[in-house]
Amino acid sequence: MPGKTTVAFFASLIALVSTPAMAWDGVTTGKIGGVDVVTDGQNYGYRIYMDGKPMCGTSEAWAYVNRSDNNYDAMVSLLTASYLNGKMVTVYTNKNGPYCAIGYALFR
């Protein structure tokens, strides 16, 4: 039978390993209710609305990705395809001032 020290070590290790999964300010699952695209790709260039749900602990119901963000083209393509096909999406966001920046998305 493991000792208290061994159990405490493994409990601490599990907590440490799972910490990055909780690093998002918001996680929203649903269908994308609308899309906005602006000509200035750095001014919240591509925005999605998740059926009126607040996105990352703010009152805003939209989140964005800018042209300069890594994987912008893939993210925009997959989010747009999900919107047009009515697919469920899980969007992970972080606060950037009063708005929500998209950092990760799951497409199912």
XYZ file of all heavy atoms in Angstrom:
816
model
N 0.850 -1.174 0.000
C 0.000 0.000 0.000
C 0.896 1.237 0.000
O 1.827 1.333 0.786
C -0.898 -0.052 1.229
C -1.859 1.070 1.322
S -3.136 0.668 2.532
C -4.520 1.242 1.652
N 0.626 2.211 -0.870
C 1.472 3.393 -0.948
C 1.356 4.241 0.319
O 0.313 4.326 0.934
C 0.950 4.158 -2.159
C -0.304 3.513 -2.563
C -0.438 2.222 -1.843
N 2.482 4.901 0.644
C 2.504 5.777 1.805
C 1.863 7.117 1.497
O 1.573 7.450 0.345
N 1.629 7.901 2.545
C 1.010 9.220 2.383
C 1.855 10.130 1.509
O 1.334 10.923 0.736
C 0.778 9.856 3.747
C -0.290 9.196 4.568
C -0.474 9.910 5.888
C -1.516 9.200 6.726
N -1.682 9.853 8.024
N 3.178 10.007 1.604
C 4.071 10.840 0.799
C 3.922 10.522 -0.679
O 3.863 11.424 -1.519
C 5.535 10.631 1.239
O 5.629 10.877 2.630
C 6.467 11.551 0.486
N 3.811 9.241 -1.016
C 3.657 8.829 -2.414
C 2.338 9.337 -2.980
O 2.280 9.861 -4.095
C 3.731 7.292 -2.535
O 4.960 6.851 -1.969
C 3.634 6.844 -3.975
N 1.280 9.193 -2.217
C -0.039 9.656 -2.662
C -0.021 11.169 -2.846
O -0.523 11.694 -3.855
C -1.132 9.224 -1.659
C -2.465 9.869 -2.008
C -1.268 7.710 -1.623
N 0.561 11.891 -1.919
C 0.628 13.348 -2.025
C 1.450 13.768 -3.243
O 1.093 14.716 -3.948
C 1.222 13.944 -0.760
N 2.539 13.054 -3.517
C 3.371 13.364 -4.679
C 2.577 13.207 -5.968
O 2.577 14.090 -6.821
C 4.610 12.457 -4.710
C 5.382 12.562 -5.991
C 6.182 13.666 -6.250
C 5.294 11.577 -6.957
C 6.887 13.781 -7.432
C 5.988 11.672 -8.146
C 6.790 12.774 -8.383
N 1.883 12.086 -6.112
C 1.128 11.850 -7.343
C -0.065 12.792 -7.470
O -0.401 13.240 -8.560
C 0.703 10.384 -7.453
C 1.829 9.497 -7.874
C 2.390 8.587 -7.000
C 2.363 9.588 -9.152
C 3.443 7.779 -7.375
C 3.421 8.794 -9.551
C 3.962 7.876 -8.658
N -0.685 13.144 -6.373
C -1.780 14.119 -6.420
C -1.264 15.475 -6.878
O -1.892 16.165 -7.694
C -2.446 14.227 -5.055
N -0.088 15.881 -6.375
C 0.518 17.149 -6.798
C 0.906 17.110 -8.269
O 0.727 18.076 -8.999
C 1.758 17.457 -5.955
O 1.404 17.610 -4.619
N 1.427 15.987 -8.709
C 1.824 15.830 -10.109
C 0.628 15.930 -11.037
O 0.671 16.623 -12.050
C 2.545 14.486 -10.303
C 3.116 14.208 -11.672
C 4.173 15.244 -12.039
C 3.701 12.808 -11.728
N -0.466 15.297 -10.685
C -1.682 15.361 -11.503
C -2.206 16.796 -11.556
O -2.593 17.290 -12.607
C -2.749 14.394 -10.961
C -2.319 12.946 -11.243
C -4.118 14.679 -11.575
C -3.151 11.903 -10.548
N -2.211 17.486 -10.436
C -2.667 18.881 -10.406
C -1.787 19.762 -11.274
O -2.266 20.632 -12.004
C -2.697 19.397 -8.975
N -0.484 19.537 -11.241
C 0.455 20.324 -12.036
C 0.266 20.082 -13.520
O 0.252 21.009 -14.325
C 1.894 20.001 -11.623
C 2.997 20.778 -12.325
C 2.865 22.260 -11.994
C 4.355 20.265 -11.914
N 0.065 18.839 -13.913
C -0.097 18.492 -15.327
C -1.412 19.022 -15.877
O -1.495 19.446 -17.018
C -0.003 16.960 -15.514
C -0.404 16.551 -16.911
C 1.406 16.482 -15.200
N -2.468 19.054 -15.084
C -3.767 19.498 -15.583
C -3.936 21.009 -15.553
O -4.890 21.528 -16.100
C -4.890 18.840 -14.784
O -4.836 19.236 -13.441
N -3.020 21.758 -14.973
C -3.137 23.211 -14.868
C -3.278 23.908 -16.218
O -4.136 24.770 -16.359
C -1.953 23.797 -14.078
O -1.973 23.228 -12.776
C -2.042 25.298 -13.985
N -2.502 23.580 -17.289
C -2.677 24.290 -18.551
C -4.072 24.178 -19.143
O -4.528 25.071 -19.832
C -1.642 23.635 -19.470
C -0.613 23.106 -18.547
C -1.367 22.695 -17.310
N -4.782 23.122 -18.864
C -6.124 22.956 -19.397
C -7.080 23.989 -18.815
O -8.119 24.269 -19.393
C -6.637 21.554 -19.120
N -6.739 24.586 -17.685
C -7.605 25.559 -17.046
C -7.121 26.980 -17.285
O -7.526 27.898 -16.601
C -7.667 25.263 -15.546
C -8.259 23.916 -15.230
S -8.348 23.585 -13.472
C -6.635 23.228 -13.091
N -6.262 27.191 -18.243
C -5.641 28.495 -18.462
C -6.493 29.439 -19.303
O -6.059 30.533 -19.581
C -4.281 28.306 -19.129
N -7.674 29.062 -19.706
C -8.520 29.902 -20.556
C -9.470 30.726 -19.704
O -9.980 30.264 -18.690
C -9.311 29.024 -21.517
C -8.420 28.203 -22.394
C -8.131 26.886 -22.240
C -7.677 28.641 -23.524
N -7.258 26.473 -23.217
C -6.961 27.544 -24.024
C -7.538 29.875 -24.168
C -6.128 27.626 -25.130
C -6.708 29.955 -25.277
C -6.023 28.845 -25.749
N -9.747 31.943 -20.162
C -10.714 32.796 -19.467
C -12.149 32.375 -19.770
O -13.051 32.672 -18.997
C -10.524 34.263 -19.869
C -9.215 34.830 -19.363
O -8.770 34.425 -18.273
O -8.621 35.663 -20.069
N -12.353 31.729 -20.897
C -13.695 31.284 -21.258
C -13.678 30.111 -22.198
O -12.775 29.969 -23.020
N -14.684 29.255 -22.048
C -14.901 28.128 -22.957
C -16.381 28.139 -23.289
O -17.228 28.065 -22.391
C -14.512 26.786 -22.303
C -14.778 25.638 -23.269
C -13.070 26.791 -21.850
N -16.704 28.254 -24.571
C -18.095 28.329 -25.012
C -18.338 27.280 -26.083
O -17.579 27.181 -27.048
C -18.407 29.727 -25.592
O -18.054 30.715 -24.621
C -19.873 29.862 -25.942
N -19.388 26.502 -25.904
C -19.756 25.492 -26.890
C -21.119 25.831 -27.456
O -22.032 26.204 -26.718
C -19.794 24.088 -26.242
O -18.500 23.777 -25.740
C -20.205 23.029 -27.248
N -21.242 25.707 -28.756
C -22.514 25.971 -29.407
C -22.313 26.160 -30.893
O -21.251 25.870 -31.441
N -23.357 26.646 -31.526
C -23.286 26.956 -32.949
C -22.955 28.428 -33.116
O -23.408 29.271 -32.339
C -24.602 26.621 -33.640
C -24.898 25.142 -33.645
C -26.180 24.849 -34.366
C -26.443 23.341 -34.328
N -27.703 23.016 -34.997
N -22.172 28.721 -34.118
C -21.823 30.113 -34.416
C -23.053 30.775 -35.019
O -23.598 30.308 -36.014
C -20.616 30.184 -35.371
C -19.390 29.539 -34.710
C -20.329 31.630 -35.765
C -18.207 29.365 -35.636
N -23.493 31.867 -34.388
C -24.700 32.540 -34.823
C -24.470 33.637 -35.842
O -25.400 34.095 -36.496
N -23.219 34.065 -36.009
C -22.910 35.121 -36.960
C -21.416 35.325 -37.069
O -20.652 34.912 -36.206
N -21.027 35.961 -38.172
C -19.616 36.220 -38.461
C -19.489 37.645 -38.966
O -20.321 38.105 -39.755
C -19.078 35.236 -39.533
C -17.680 35.605 -39.968
C -19.116 33.808 -39.016
N -18.468 38.363 -38.506
C -18.119 39.686 -39.032
C -16.689 39.627 -39.533
O -15.830 39.015 -38.896
C -18.168 40.767 -37.950
C -19.574 41.154 -37.553
O -20.518 40.815 -38.281
O -19.724 41.799 -36.497
N -16.434 40.279 -40.649
C -15.079 40.399 -41.184
C -14.851 41.870 -41.499
O -15.693 42.505 -42.116
C -14.897 39.557 -42.475
C -13.485 39.673 -42.994
C -15.254 38.102 -42.214
N -13.715 42.406 -41.035
C -13.398 43.798 -41.317
C -12.171 43.860 -42.226
O -11.353 42.947 -42.238
C -13.164 44.615 -40.024
C -14.426 44.640 -39.182
C -12.021 44.076 -39.222
N -12.052 44.944 -42.984
C -10.946 45.051 -43.940
C -9.599 45.186 -43.266
O -8.587 44.765 -43.805
C -11.146 46.247 -44.890
O -11.275 47.443 -44.117
C -12.376 46.045 -45.747
N -9.576 45.778 -42.076
C -8.332 45.885 -41.327
C -8.205 44.627 -40.474
O -8.843 44.494 -39.443
C -8.344 47.132 -40.440
C -7.083 47.267 -39.591
O -6.176 46.418 -39.716
O -7.014 48.211 -38.793
N -7.386 43.700 -40.905
C -7.247 42.419 -40.232
C -6.706 42.497 -38.825
O -6.674 41.509 -38.101
N -6.254 43.677 -38.400
C -5.727 43.847 -37.055
C -6.726 44.514 -36.120
O -6.432 44.738 -34.962
C -4.430 44.665 -37.095
C -3.289 43.925 -37.740
C -3.084 42.545 -37.140
O -3.355 41.541 -37.775
N -2.635 42.474 -35.919
N -7.874 44.849 -36.613
C -8.902 45.501 -35.807
C -9.999 44.488 -35.492
O -11.116 44.608 -35.949
C -9.470 46.711 -36.560
C -10.462 47.480 -35.727
O -10.462 47.410 -34.516
N -11.331 48.214 -36.402
N -9.625 43.458 -34.709
C -10.548 42.360 -34.430
C -11.077 41.829 -35.755
O -12.271 41.740 -35.989
C -11.683 42.806 -33.497
C -11.187 43.603 -32.315
C -11.469 44.947 -32.180
C -10.385 42.999 -31.348
C -10.993 45.674 -31.091
C -9.898 43.716 -30.264
C -10.213 45.058 -30.147
O -9.729 45.770 -29.083
N -10.135 41.474 -36.632
C -10.380 41.207 -38.045
C -11.464 40.213 -38.391
O -12.243 40.431 -39.303
N -11.534 39.097 -37.684
C -12.549 38.080 -37.941
C -13.235 37.807 -36.607
O -12.589 37.450 -35.622
C -11.891 36.804 -38.475
C -12.867 35.699 -38.769
C -13.500 35.633 -39.999
C -13.139 34.725 -37.825
C -14.399 34.612 -40.268
C -14.028 33.700 -38.094
C -14.660 33.648 -39.312
O -15.552 32.637 -39.582
N -14.549 38.013 -36.581
C -15.298 37.904 -35.325
C -16.404 36.875 -35.469
O -17.066 36.805 -36.493
C -15.929 39.250 -34.967
C -14.947 40.382 -34.951
C -15.653 41.711 -34.847
N -14.725 42.789 -35.159
C -15.067 44.056 -35.224
N -16.308 44.416 -35.003
N -14.164 44.966 -35.517
N -16.597 36.101 -34.409
C -17.714 35.155 -34.388
C -18.620 35.478 -33.207
O -18.173 35.977 -32.175
C -17.254 33.689 -34.309
C -16.466 33.416 -33.024
C -16.457 33.309 -35.548
C -16.254 31.949 -32.732
N -19.889 35.200 -33.386
C -20.899 35.356 -32.347
C -21.449 33.973 -32.035
O -21.812 33.232 -32.943
C -22.040 36.260 -32.834
C -21.583 37.664 -33.117
C -20.976 37.986 -34.331
C -21.740 38.654 -32.169
C -20.546 39.274 -34.583
C -21.315 39.955 -32.425
C -20.720 40.249 -33.635
O -20.295 41.523 -33.887
N -21.499 33.625 -30.771
C -21.957 32.299 -30.358
C -23.374 32.376 -29.798
O -23.595 32.241 -28.603
C -20.999 31.701 -29.333
C -19.605 31.454 -29.842
S -19.501 30.107 -31.016
C -19.724 28.705 -29.938
N -24.344 32.606 -30.648
C -25.760 32.618 -30.259
C -26.043 33.451 -29.016
O -26.811 33.057 -28.146
C -26.266 31.182 -30.062
C -26.306 30.410 -31.370
O -26.465 31.047 -32.430
O -26.172 29.182 -31.338
N -25.388 34.603 -28.902
C -25.647 35.532 -27.819
C -25.010 35.182 -26.489
O -25.247 35.852 -25.492
N -24.191 34.128 -26.446
C -23.547 33.722 -25.191
C -22.304 34.574 -24.941
O -21.493 34.748 -25.832
C -23.125 32.256 -25.261
C -24.261 31.287 -25.430
C -23.716 29.879 -25.561
C -24.827 28.905 -25.878
N -24.297 27.561 -26.112
N -22.147 35.095 -23.708
C -20.887 35.778 -23.381
C -19.718 34.809 -23.545
O -19.849 33.616 -23.274
C -21.070 36.184 -21.919
C -22.539 36.198 -21.702
C -23.093 35.133 -22.607
N -18.569 35.337 -23.972
C -17.486 34.453 -24.382
C -16.405 34.211 -23.334
O -15.929 33.110 -23.218
C -16.839 34.987 -25.656
C -17.784 35.088 -26.840
S -18.283 33.506 -27.467
C -16.852 33.079 -28.418
N -15.951 35.205 -22.594
C -14.797 34.970 -21.707
C -14.900 35.767 -20.409
O -13.941 36.361 -19.957
C -13.479 35.279 -22.420
S -13.279 36.995 -22.924
N -16.071 35.762 -19.839
C -16.243 36.493 -18.597
C -16.492 37.976 -18.803
O -16.447 38.754 -17.858
N -16.720 38.372 -20.031
C -17.095 39.752 -20.320
C -18.563 39.743 -20.739
O -19.173 38.684 -20.866
C -16.255 40.355 -21.470
O -16.602 39.710 -22.694
C -14.761 40.193 -21.210
N -19.117 40.892 -21.007
C -20.503 40.950 -21.477
C -20.593 40.774 -22.989
O -21.685 40.705 -23.537
C -21.140 42.278 -21.061
O -20.430 43.357 -21.650
N -19.448 40.705 -23.659
C -19.429 40.590 -25.110
C -19.808 39.175 -25.556
O -19.367 38.192 -24.985
C -18.048 40.934 -25.659
C -17.610 42.349 -25.374
C -18.525 43.408 -25.959
O -19.165 43.161 -26.999
O -18.609 44.485 -25.371
N -20.614 39.105 -26.595
C -21.057 37.823 -27.134
C -20.287 37.463 -28.401
O -20.752 36.678 -29.210
C -22.558 37.871 -27.417
N -19.124 38.053 -28.574
C -18.305 37.742 -29.741
C -16.848 37.599 -29.333
O -16.425 38.071 -28.296
C -18.463 38.802 -30.836
C -18.094 40.200 -30.448
C -18.907 41.115 -29.839
C -16.839 40.858 -30.643
N -18.223 42.300 -29.641
C -16.947 42.178 -30.129
C -15.626 40.485 -31.203
C -15.920 43.090 -30.158
C -14.582 41.408 -31.232
C -14.735 42.687 -30.716
N -16.112 36.897 -30.185
C -14.670 36.709 -29.989
C -14.005 36.889 -31.339
O -14.644 36.781 -32.387
C -14.378 35.332 -29.419
N -12.705 37.141 -31.310
C -12.021 37.495 -32.553
C -10.695 36.757 -32.714
O -10.121 36.228 -31.763
C -11.763 39.001 -32.608
C -10.669 39.426 -31.659
C -9.338 39.501 -32.085
C -10.947 39.721 -30.331
C -8.325 39.858 -31.208
C -9.947 40.085 -29.460
C -8.646 40.148 -29.906
O -7.646 40.491 -29.025
N -10.237 36.783 -33.953
C -8.874 36.379 -34.296
C -8.374 37.417 -35.300
O -9.128 37.857 -36.172
C -8.819 34.925 -34.839
C -9.638 34.738 -36.089
C -7.400 34.462 -35.033
N -7.131 37.863 -35.139
C -6.540 38.857 -36.040
C -5.641 38.193 -37.069
O -5.108 37.107 -36.839
C -5.719 39.884 -35.244
C -6.589 40.911 -34.566
O -7.650 41.274 -35.048
N -6.147 41.383 -33.409
N -5.440 38.861 -38.172
C -4.606 38.340 -39.254
C -3.208 37.957 -38.771
O -2.634 36.998 -39.243
C -4.517 39.359 -40.394
C -3.397 39.030 -41.345
C -3.598 38.854 -42.798
N -4.759 38.561 -43.493
C -5.016 37.358 -44.018
N -4.250 36.339 -43.788
N -6.069 37.175 -44.762
N -2.661 38.661 -37.810
C -1.306 38.390 -37.336
C -1.226 37.181 -36.390
O -0.136 36.734 -36.054
C -0.743 39.622 -36.616
O -1.540 39.925 -35.490
N -2.377 36.645 -35.979
C -2.382 35.487 -35.086
C -1.938 34.231 -35.822
O -2.250 34.046 -37.006
C -3.772 35.266 -34.490
C -4.186 36.381 -33.553
O -3.306 37.027 -32.967
O -5.405 36.596 -33.407
N -1.219 33.384 -35.086
C -0.795 32.112 -35.669
C -2.004 31.313 -36.125
O -3.037 31.301 -35.464
C -0.001 31.288 -34.650
C 1.351 31.893 -34.356
O 1.931 32.579 -35.193
N 1.850 31.650 -33.163
N -1.870 30.659 -37.253
C -2.889 29.769 -37.799
C -4.191 30.492 -38.151
O -5.263 29.893 -38.171
C -3.166 28.626 -36.815
C -3.113 27.285 -37.497
O -2.760 27.180 -38.668
N -3.457 26.257 -36.771
N -4.094 31.775 -38.442
C -5.266 32.597 -38.769
C -6.075 31.987 -39.913
O -7.290 31.824 -39.801
C -4.816 34.011 -39.140
C -5.912 34.902 -39.681
C -6.728 35.625 -38.822
C -6.123 35.026 -41.054
C -7.725 36.451 -39.315
C -7.117 35.839 -41.547
C -7.923 36.554 -40.686
O -8.917 37.359 -41.168
N -5.410 31.641 -41.017
C -6.139 31.142 -42.186
C -6.902 29.865 -41.880
O -8.069 29.718 -42.266
C -5.182 30.920 -43.362
C -4.628 32.229 -43.915
O -5.309 33.270 -43.804
O -3.512 32.213 -44.454
N -6.273 28.936 -41.183
C -6.945 27.685 -40.832
C -8.109 27.943 -39.879
O -9.197 27.376 -40.041
C -5.956 26.701 -40.223
N -7.891 28.797 -38.892
C -8.944 29.089 -37.921
C -10.149 29.732 -38.607
O -11.295 29.323 -38.386
C -8.402 30.006 -36.820
C -9.366 30.255 -35.687
S -9.670 28.832 -34.635
C -8.153 28.789 -33.708
N -9.896 30.720 -39.456
C -10.983 31.397 -40.165
C -11.719 30.412 -41.076
O -12.955 30.391 -41.120
C -10.450 32.604 -40.955
C -11.491 33.135 -41.934
C -10.021 33.704 -39.994
N -10.986 29.576 -41.782
C -11.608 28.600 -42.687
C -12.499 27.626 -41.927
O -13.645 27.374 -42.329
C -10.535 27.824 -43.451
O -9.818 28.677 -44.291
N -11.985 27.072 -40.841
C -12.759 26.084 -40.091
C -13.941 26.705 -39.356
O -15.029 26.124 -39.306
C -11.853 25.341 -39.112
C -10.868 24.389 -39.791
C -9.806 23.923 -38.800
C -11.598 23.201 -40.392
N -13.760 27.906 -38.804
C -14.876 28.580 -38.146
C -15.965 28.941 -39.153
O -17.159 28.773 -38.876
C -14.396 29.817 -37.398
C -13.570 29.558 -36.137
C -12.913 30.842 -35.651
C -14.408 28.923 -35.042
N -15.578 29.424 -40.324
C -16.557 29.769 -41.352
C -17.302 28.527 -41.846
O -18.523 28.545 -41.992
C -15.876 30.491 -42.534
O -15.234 31.672 -42.042
C -16.884 30.870 -43.607
N -16.576 27.441 -42.083
C -17.215 26.195 -42.519
C -18.198 25.690 -41.462
O -19.302 25.238 -41.788
C -16.159 25.143 -42.814
N -17.815 25.782 -40.198
C -18.704 25.360 -39.118
C -19.956 26.227 -39.069
O -21.068 25.726 -38.866
C -17.974 25.419 -37.780
O -16.909 24.510 -37.755
N -19.779 27.517 -39.260
C -20.916 28.444 -39.275
C -21.868 28.121 -40.424
O -23.072 27.982 -40.225
C -20.406 29.881 -39.383
C -21.461 30.897 -39.703
C -22.513 31.151 -38.818
C -21.419 31.617 -40.890
C -23.483 32.090 -39.107
C -22.385 32.563 -41.186
C -23.415 32.788 -40.303
O -24.386 33.719 -40.591
N -21.329 27.973 -41.612
C -22.161 27.723 -42.789
C -22.871 26.374 -42.748
O -23.950 26.221 -43.321
C -21.312 27.823 -44.056
C -20.761 29.222 -44.366
C -19.799 29.165 -45.541
C -21.895 30.207 -44.624
N -22.283 25.402 -42.048
C -22.865 24.063 -41.971
C -23.612 23.806 -40.667
O -24.087 22.689 -40.441
C -21.768 23.009 -42.162
C -21.259 23.007 -43.583
O -21.995 22.698 -44.505
N -19.998 23.373 -43.775
N -23.701 24.812 -39.805
C -24.443 24.663 -38.559
C -23.851 23.654 -37.595
O -24.582 23.015 -36.838
N -22.551 23.515 -37.597
C -21.861 22.545 -36.739
C -21.574 23.128 -35.359
O -21.400 24.330 -35.200
C -20.537 22.098 -37.376
C -20.701 21.409 -38.708
C -21.357 20.063 -38.533
C -21.433 19.318 -39.842
N -22.064 18.032 -39.708
N -21.487 22.241 -34.389
C -21.119 22.632 -33.027
C -19.620 22.910 -32.958
O -18.818 22.206 -33.584
C -21.477 21.531 -32.036
C -22.962 21.258 -31.938
S -23.892 22.594 -31.192
C -23.488 22.351 -29.481
N -19.263 23.928 -32.204
C -17.872 24.330 -32.023
C -17.655 24.630 -30.536
O -18.543 25.160 -29.875
C -17.556 25.602 -32.841
C -16.146 26.080 -32.613
C -17.808 25.378 -34.316
N -16.487 24.289 -30.039
C -16.081 24.714 -28.703
C -14.935 25.698 -28.890
O -13.925 25.360 -29.499
C -15.631 23.526 -27.841
O -16.720 22.603 -27.722
C -15.213 23.995 -26.451
N -15.127 26.915 -28.394
C -14.149 27.988 -28.578
C -13.559 28.359 -27.222
O -14.286 28.635 -26.268
C -14.807 29.226 -29.232
C -13.807 30.346 -29.397
C -15.426 28.855 -30.566
N -12.235 28.339 -27.160
C -11.493 28.713 -25.960
C -10.954 30.116 -26.173
O -10.314 30.390 -27.189
C -10.333 27.742 -25.723
C -10.793 26.334 -25.424
C -11.236 25.494 -26.435
C -10.772 25.853 -24.119
C -11.654 24.204 -26.157
C -11.181 24.564 -23.831
C -11.628 23.745 -24.856
O -12.038 22.466 -24.577
N -11.224 31.001 -25.211
C -10.862 32.402 -25.374
C -10.135 32.940 -24.151
O -10.271 32.420 -23.046
C -12.120 33.255 -25.613
O -13.053 33.009 -24.565
C -12.755 32.960 -26.953
N -9.387 34.005 -24.384
C -8.733 34.764 -23.323
C -9.128 36.227 -23.448
O -9.313 36.728 -24.558
C -7.210 34.634 -23.403
C -6.735 33.322 -22.830
O -7.247 32.840 -21.824
N -5.751 32.724 -23.476
N -9.243 36.893 -22.314
C -9.569 38.317 -22.313
C -8.396 39.104 -22.880
O -7.248 38.840 -22.568
C -9.844 38.816 -20.900
C -11.118 38.316 -20.316
C -11.313 38.882 -18.926
C -12.514 38.243 -18.265
N -12.673 38.698 -16.883
N -8.725 40.062 -23.719
C -7.759 41.030 -24.219
C -8.440 42.388 -24.087
O -9.182 42.791 -24.988
C -7.360 40.728 -25.651
C -6.257 41.635 -26.138
O -5.657 42.371 -25.372
N -5.984 41.589 -27.422
N -8.249 43.023 -22.963
C -9.017 44.230 -22.671
C -10.467 43.822 -22.450
O -10.734 42.829 -21.786
N -11.408 44.531 -23.051
C -12.820 44.184 -22.853
C -13.322 43.099 -23.806
O -14.492 42.733 -23.756
C -13.535 45.506 -23.126
C -12.655 46.179 -24.120
C -11.243 45.800 -23.745
N -12.445 42.570 -24.658
C -12.868 41.621 -25.683
C -12.217 40.252 -25.498
O -11.335 40.079 -24.664
C -12.555 42.180 -27.070
C -13.176 43.529 -27.288
C -12.386 44.653 -27.450
C -14.549 43.686 -27.286
C -12.951 45.907 -27.631
C -15.133 44.934 -27.451
C -14.328 46.037 -27.628
O -14.906 47.274 -27.796
N -12.645 39.306 -26.287
C -12.195 37.922 -26.159
C -11.430 37.489 -27.403
O -11.971 37.500 -28.510
C -13.391 37.001 -25.973
S -14.430 37.439 -24.563
N -10.187 37.087 -27.202
C -9.351 36.592 -28.297
C -9.469 35.072 -28.367
O -9.339 34.382 -27.355
C -7.897 36.991 -28.071
N -9.706 34.554 -29.562
C -9.801 33.112 -29.758
C -8.394 32.531 -29.717
O -7.510 32.981 -30.432
C -10.466 32.770 -31.104
C -11.890 33.333 -31.144
C -10.467 31.260 -31.343
C -12.539 33.278 -32.517
N -8.208 31.533 -28.879
C -6.900 30.899 -28.765
C -6.896 29.464 -29.219
O -5.846 28.909 -29.565
N -8.088 28.838 -29.228
C -8.160 27.407 -29.546
C -9.596 27.100 -29.876
O -10.518 27.714 -29.328
C -7.703 26.607 -28.318
C -7.657 25.119 -28.492
C -6.594 24.519 -29.175
C -8.646 24.302 -27.967
C -6.542 23.139 -29.327
C -8.584 22.930 -28.110
C -7.540 22.354 -28.777
O -7.484 20.996 -28.922
N -9.817 26.157 -30.763
C -11.192 25.743 -31.074
C -11.227 24.258 -31.376
O -10.277 23.707 -31.945
C -11.718 26.535 -32.271
N -12.321 23.625 -30.974
C -12.568 22.221 -31.282
C -13.732 22.139 -32.246
O -14.772 22.778 -32.034
C -12.930 21.452 -30.007
C -11.840 21.183 -29.004
C -12.438 20.555 -27.744
C -10.795 20.259 -29.595
N -13.574 21.355 -33.262
C -14.609 21.205 -34.284
C -15.078 19.755 -34.249
O -14.291 18.852 -34.433
C -14.052 21.568 -35.659
C -13.484 22.960 -35.709
C -12.149 23.189 -35.426
C -14.301 24.039 -35.985
C -11.621 24.474 -35.446
C -13.783 25.330 -36.005
C -12.452 25.533 -35.731
N -16.372 19.541 -34.005
C -16.918 18.182 -33.910
C -18.006 17.978 -34.917
O -18.785 18.775 -35.207
C -17.494 17.921 -32.506
C -16.503 18.169 -31.413
C -15.620 16.979 -31.227
N -14.677 17.303 -30.151
C -13.476 16.763 -30.061
N -13.078 15.903 -30.946
N -12.692 17.085 -29.096
